[in-house]
Amino acid sequence: MIRVCVLVSGEGSNLAALIGQLHGHVVRIVGVASDRSGPPALTLAEADGIPTASFVAGEYETRVDRDVALADWVDGLSAELVVTAGYMSILDAAFIRRFPDRIVNVHPSLLPAFPGIRAVEQALDYGVKVSGVTVHLVDEGVDTGRILLQEAVSVPRDATPGSLHAALQEVEHRLLPQAVKELAVQIA
Ligand code: GRF
C-alpha cells in the first residue's frame, strides 16, 4: 500500500472521500497537514487516527521556510504521494521540486480554463454552459500540471456559485479517489 499525505485547508469533504474510498486498503494516508490551524478537515483526520499538523505561514520567517518545513514533515512520514484536497496555499517551488510528479490536485473547472482562486465564480461570470472537474499533477505553475482525469458538468441556467460548486464537488469526490487509485497502482 503506498503512503499518502493529504494537504487541506477547509471542510475536508475531499479528504473524507479519500479516507472512505481508499484509506487502509488501496493507500495508507499517513498524515494530513493544513496551512491554517484547526480546520474541520483536521478534526476529520484525527477521528480516523491519522496524524495531523498545521503549517501556518505567519509562524515562519518566509513562505519558503514554511513550505520547506512542510516538505520535511512529508518526507519524515516517507510519503510517496501528496494530494492537495482543497489546499488553498500555493506550494512554493522549494516544495514541488522535492516531489516531482508526486503531487496531485483537484480543481473545480475544466482546466486550462479558469485556473487559480474563485474558479466557480470565474466560470459563471463568463457564462459557460459546461464546466467540470480536473484532477492534475502539480508543477510550478498555478493549476498548469499534466491533466490526469477530467469530467464535464452541465451548468443549469439558474446556477449560483453555491449550487454549481455543490454539483462539482459530487464529481470531485469520485474523480480524486479514482486518480489517486490509478497513481497508486503505477507507483506500487
Ligand atoms: C473543493 O471544492 C476544491 O475544488 C476547492 O476547494 C474545495 C475544498 O473542499 N479548491 P473540501 O475541503 O475538500 O470540502
Side-chain angles (χ1 to χ4, degrees):
M1 240 187 297
I2 72 154
R3 298 170 67 83
V4 175
C5 269
V6 184
L7 308 186
V8 295
S9 301
E11 292 305 312
S13 66
N14 280 291
L15 172 66
L18 291 168
I19 293 173
Q21 295 174 46
L22 305 180
H23 181 51
H25 47 108
V26 179
V27 304
R28 180 161 306 286
I29 300 175
V30 292
V32 177
S34 171
D35 57 351
R36 51 202 73 177
S37 54
L42 287 194
T43 312
L44 230 159
E46 281 153 15
D48 271 288
I50 300 168
T52 63
S54 289
F55 295 85
V56 181
E59 294 171 8
Y60 297 85
E61 280 280 295
T62 65
R63 206 169 56 84
V64 178
D65 291 344
R66 188 269 299 272
D67 283 4
V68 168
L70 177 59
D72 288 345
W73 185 79
V74 170
D75 254 347
L77 292 166
S78 305
E80 298 156 279
L81 187 68
V82 177
V83 181
T84 57
Y87 186 66
M88 298 310 288
S89 293
I90 292 174
L91 288 166
D92 190 86
F95 184 98
I96 293 165
R97 287 183 196 141
R98 297 261 295 264
F99 309 101
D101 293 332
R102 287 289 181 269
I103 311 171
V104 187
N105 182 45
V106 61
H107 184 77
S109 77
L110 291 177
L111 291 172
F114 312 121
I117 57 165
R118 306 187 77 249
V120 178
E121 288 84 352
Q122 286 185 59
L124 283 176
D125 288 348
Y126 218 94
V128 298
K129 306 303 171 216
V130 177
S131 189
V133 171
T134 305
V135 181
H136 64 98
L137 293 176
V138 174
D139 64 11
E140 291 178 32
V142 176
D143 298 326
T144 51
R146 185 167 180 74
I147 292 169
L148 299 173
L149 292 175
Q150 205 163 39
E151 191 171 306
V153 171
S154 292
V155 180
R157 267 181 192 284
D158 60 351
T160 62
S163 70
L164 179 55
H165 201 183
L168 294 171
Q169 279 200 314
E170 269 186 43
V171 177
E172 291 181 354
H173 299 161
R174 190 162 35 74
L175 222 55
L176 181 61
Q178 188 188 332
V180 171
K181 188 175 180 176
E182 288 175 13
L183 280 172
V185 170
Q186 284 173 31
I187 293 170

PDB file of all heavy atoms in Angstrom, residues 10-15 85-86 88 106-108 165 169 172, ligand 1:
ATOM      1  N   GLY A  10      -9.793  23.351   4.570  1.00  0.00           N
ATOM      2  CA  GLY A  10     -11.165  23.694   4.947  1.00  0.00           C
ATOM      3  C   GLY A  10     -11.994  22.567   5.500  1.00  0.00           C
ATOM      4  O   GLY A  10     -11.634  21.927   6.487  1.00  0.00           O
ATOM      5  N   GLU A  11     -13.105  22.311   4.818  1.00  0.00           N
ATOM      6  CA  GLU A  11     -14.103  21.365   5.317  1.00  0.00           C
ATOM      7  C   GLU A  11     -13.615  19.927   5.286  1.00  0.00           C
ATOM      8  O   GLU A  11     -13.980  19.116   6.134  1.00  0.00           O
ATOM      9  CB  GLU A  11     -15.392  21.479   4.496  1.00  0.00           C
ATOM     10  CG  GLU A  11     -16.135  22.792   4.674  1.00  0.00           C
ATOM     11  CD  GLU A  11     -16.439  23.086   6.144  1.00  0.00           C
ATOM     12  OE1 GLU A  11     -16.934  22.172   6.842  1.00  0.00           O
ATOM     13  OE2 GLU A  11     -16.146  24.199   6.595  1.00  0.00           O
ATOM     14  N   GLY A  12     -12.879  19.596   4.247  1.00  0.00           N
ATOM     15  CA  GLY A  12     -12.334  18.241   4.162  1.00  0.00           C
ATOM     16  C   GLY A  12     -13.257  17.221   3.526  1.00  0.00           C
ATOM     17  O   GLY A  12     -13.108  16.025   3.757  1.00  0.00           O
ATOM     18  N   SER A  13     -14.185  17.681   2.682  1.00  0.00           N
ATOM     19  CA  SER A  13     -15.070  16.687   2.053  1.00  0.00           C
ATOM     20  C   SER A  13     -14.290  15.793   1.081  1.00  0.00           C
ATOM     21  O   SER A  13     -14.585  14.605   0.957  1.00  0.00           O
ATOM     22  CB  SER A  13     -16.261  17.364   1.360  1.00  0.00           C
ATOM     23  OG  SER A  13     -15.823  18.144   0.278  1.00  0.00           O
ATOM     24  N   ASN A  14     -13.285  16.363   0.416  1.00  0.00           N
ATOM     25  CA  ASN A  14     -12.455  15.515  -0.461  1.00  0.00           C
ATOM     26  C   ASN A  14     -11.595  14.558   0.355  1.00  0.00           C
ATOM     27  O   ASN A  14     -11.383  13.408  -0.042  1.00  0.00           O
ATOM     28  CB  ASN A  14     -11.585  16.384  -1.374  1.00  0.00           C
ATOM     29  CG  ASN A  14     -12.366  16.900  -2.567  1.00  0.00           C
ATOM     30  OD1 ASN A  14     -12.732  16.138  -3.438  1.00  0.00           O
ATOM     31  ND2 ASN A  14     -12.645  18.196  -2.565  1.00  0.00           N
ATOM     32  N   LEU A  15     -11.116  15.030   1.507  1.00  0.00           N
ATOM     33  CA  LEU A  15     -10.364  14.141   2.399  1.00  0.00           C
ATOM     34  C   LEU A  15     -11.267  12.986   2.853  1.00  0.00           C
ATOM     35  O   LEU A  15     -10.842  11.824   2.863  1.00  0.00           O
ATOM     36  CB  LEU A  15      -9.854  14.925   3.608  1.00  0.00           C
ATOM     37  CG  LEU A  15      -9.227  14.084   4.713  1.00  0.00           C
ATOM     38  CD1 LEU A  15      -7.936  13.421   4.236  1.00  0.00           C
ATOM     39  CD2 LEU A  15      -8.959  14.924   5.965  1.00  0.00           C
ATOM     40  N   ALA A  85      -6.051  18.587  -1.373  1.00  0.00           N
ATOM     41  CA  ALA A  85      -7.510  18.392  -1.433  1.00  0.00           C
ATOM     42  C   ALA A  85      -8.176  19.615  -0.809  1.00  0.00           C
ATOM     43  O   ALA A  85      -8.430  19.652   0.382  1.00  0.00           O
ATOM     44  CB  ALA A  85      -7.894  17.117  -0.688  1.00  0.00           C
ATOM     45  N   GLY A  86      -8.386  20.648  -1.653  1.00  0.00           N
ATOM     46  CA  GLY A  86      -8.925  21.889  -1.120  1.00  0.00           C
ATOM     47  C   GLY A  86      -7.864  22.643  -0.327  1.00  0.00           C
ATOM     48  O   GLY A  86      -8.182  23.348   0.624  1.00  0.00           O
ATOM     49  N   MET A  88      -5.509  25.643   0.068  1.00  0.00           N
ATOM     50  CA  MET A  88      -5.693  26.977  -0.506  1.00  0.00           C
ATOM     51  C   MET A  88      -4.410  27.795  -0.661  1.00  0.00           C
ATOM     52  O   MET A  88      -4.452  28.909  -1.162  1.00  0.00           O
ATOM     53  CB  MET A  88      -6.730  27.763   0.316  1.00  0.00           C
ATOM     54  CG  MET A  88      -8.118  27.136   0.317  1.00  0.00           C
ATOM     55  SD  MET A  88      -8.740  26.717  -1.336  1.00  0.00           S
ATOM     56  CE  MET A  88      -9.086  28.358  -1.961  1.00  0.00           C
ATOM     57  N   VAL A 106      -6.967  18.653  -7.063  1.00  0.00           N
ATOM     58  CA  VAL A 106      -8.302  18.642  -7.675  1.00  0.00           C
ATOM     59  C   VAL A 106      -8.743  20.090  -7.816  1.00  0.00           C
ATOM     60  O   VAL A 106      -8.568  20.897  -6.895  1.00  0.00           O
ATOM     61  CB  VAL A 106      -9.296  17.807  -6.827  1.00  0.00           C
ATOM     62  CG1 VAL A 106      -9.484  18.351  -5.420  1.00  0.00           C
ATOM     63  CG2 VAL A 106     -10.654  17.694  -7.532  1.00  0.00           C
ATOM     64  N   HIS A 107      -9.297  20.422  -8.989  1.00  0.00           N
ATOM     65  CA  HIS A 107      -9.660  21.817  -9.274  1.00  0.00           C
ATOM     66  C   HIS A 107     -11.071  21.869  -9.872  1.00  0.00           C
ATOM     67  O   HIS A 107     -11.387  21.091 -10.781  1.00  0.00           O
ATOM     68  CB  HIS A 107      -8.637  22.402 -10.253  1.00  0.00           C
ATOM     69  CG  HIS A 107      -8.863  23.854 -10.527  1.00  0.00           C
ATOM     70  ND1 HIS A 107      -8.510  24.844  -9.630  1.00  0.00           N
ATOM     71  CD2 HIS A 107      -9.451  24.484 -11.571  1.00  0.00           C
ATOM     72  CE1 HIS A 107      -8.850  26.013 -10.129  1.00  0.00           C
ATOM     73  NE2 HIS A 107      -9.431  25.826 -11.304  1.00  0.00           N
ATOM     74  N   PRO A 108     -11.905  22.830  -9.396  1.00  0.00           N
ATOM     75  CA  PRO A 108     -13.303  22.856  -9.840  1.00  0.00           C
ATOM     76  C   PRO A 108     -13.550  23.630 -11.133  1.00  0.00           C
ATOM     77  O   PRO A 108     -14.400  24.506 -11.187  1.00  0.00           O
ATOM     78  CB  PRO A 108     -14.019  23.505  -8.645  1.00  0.00           C
ATOM     79  CG  PRO A 108     -13.012  24.440  -8.080  1.00  0.00           C
ATOM     80  CD  PRO A 108     -11.660  23.789  -8.301  1.00  0.00           C
ATOM     81  N   HIS A 165     -20.952  24.766  -7.323  1.00  0.00           N
ATOM     82  CA  HIS A 165     -19.845  24.162  -6.568  1.00  0.00           C
ATOM     83  C   HIS A 165     -20.287  22.836  -5.946  1.00  0.00           C
ATOM     84  O   HIS A 165     -19.532  21.861  -5.933  1.00  0.00           O
ATOM     85  CB  HIS A 165     -19.330  25.127  -5.501  1.00  0.00           C
ATOM     86  CG  HIS A 165     -17.940  24.801  -5.043  1.00  0.00           C
ATOM     87  ND1 HIS A 165     -17.290  25.485  -4.065  1.00  0.00           N
ATOM     88  CD2 HIS A 165     -17.076  23.839  -5.439  1.00  0.00           C
ATOM     89  CE1 HIS A 165     -16.089  24.958  -3.884  1.00  0.00           C
ATOM     90  NE2 HIS A 165     -15.941  23.955  -4.703  1.00  0.00           N
ATOM     91  N   GLN A 169     -18.544  19.355  -6.612  1.00  0.00           N
ATOM     92  CA  GLN A 169     -17.946  18.582  -5.514  1.00  0.00           C
ATOM     93  C   GLN A 169     -18.363  17.114  -5.555  1.00  0.00           C
ATOM     94  O   GLN A 169     -17.562  16.232  -5.243  1.00  0.00           O
ATOM     95  CB  GLN A 169     -18.295  19.214  -4.177  1.00  0.00           C
ATOM     96  CG  GLN A 169     -17.370  20.396  -3.876  1.00  0.00           C
ATOM     97  CD  GLN A 169     -17.340  20.759  -2.414  1.00  0.00           C
ATOM     98  OE1 GLN A 169     -18.395  20.841  -1.784  1.00  0.00           O
ATOM     99  NE2 GLN A 169     -16.171  20.993  -1.876  1.00  0.00           N
ATOM    100  N   GLU A 172     -15.946  15.732  -7.813  1.00  0.00           N
ATOM    101  CA  GLU A 172     -14.619  15.698  -7.168  1.00  0.00           C
ATOM    102  C   GLU A 172     -14.474  14.470  -6.287  1.00  0.00           C
ATOM    103  O   GLU A 172     -13.427  13.809  -6.287  1.00  0.00           O
ATOM    104  CB  GLU A 172     -14.410  16.945  -6.295  1.00  0.00           C
ATOM    105  CG  GLU A 172     -14.257  18.242  -7.058  1.00  0.00           C
ATOM    106  CD  GLU A 172     -14.025  19.431  -6.138  1.00  0.00           C
ATOM    107  OE1 GLU A 172     -14.097  19.275  -4.902  1.00  0.00           O
ATOM    108  OE2 GLU A 172     -13.770  20.525  -6.653  1.00  0.00           O
TER     109      GLU A 172
HETATM  110  C1  GRF B   1     -13.039  21.856  -3.329  1.00  0.00           C
HETATM  111  O1  GRF B   1     -14.261  22.005  -3.955  1.00  0.00           O
HETATM  112  C2  GRF B   1     -11.914  22.219  -4.252  1.00  0.00           C
HETATM  113  O2  GRF B   1     -12.194  22.080  -5.588  1.00  0.00           O
HETATM  114  C3  GRF B   1     -11.690  23.659  -3.929  1.00  0.00           C
HETATM  115  O3  GRF B   1     -11.894  23.751  -2.551  1.00  0.00           O
HETATM  116  C4  GRF B   1     -12.884  22.821  -2.171  1.00  0.00           C
HETATM  117  C5  GRF B   1     -12.431  22.130  -0.911  1.00  0.00           C
HETATM  118  O4  GRF B   1     -13.419  21.381  -0.334  1.00  0.00           O
HETATM  119  N1  GRF B   1     -10.391  24.090  -4.364  1.00  0.00           N
HETATM  120  P1  GRF B   1     -13.135  20.332   0.809  1.00  0.00           P
HETATM  121  O5  GRF B   1     -12.277  20.992   1.875  1.00  0.00           O
HETATM  122  O6  GRF B   1     -12.477  19.135   0.209  1.00  0.00           O
HETATM  123  O7  GRF B   1     -14.505  20.017   1.344  1.00  0.00           O
END
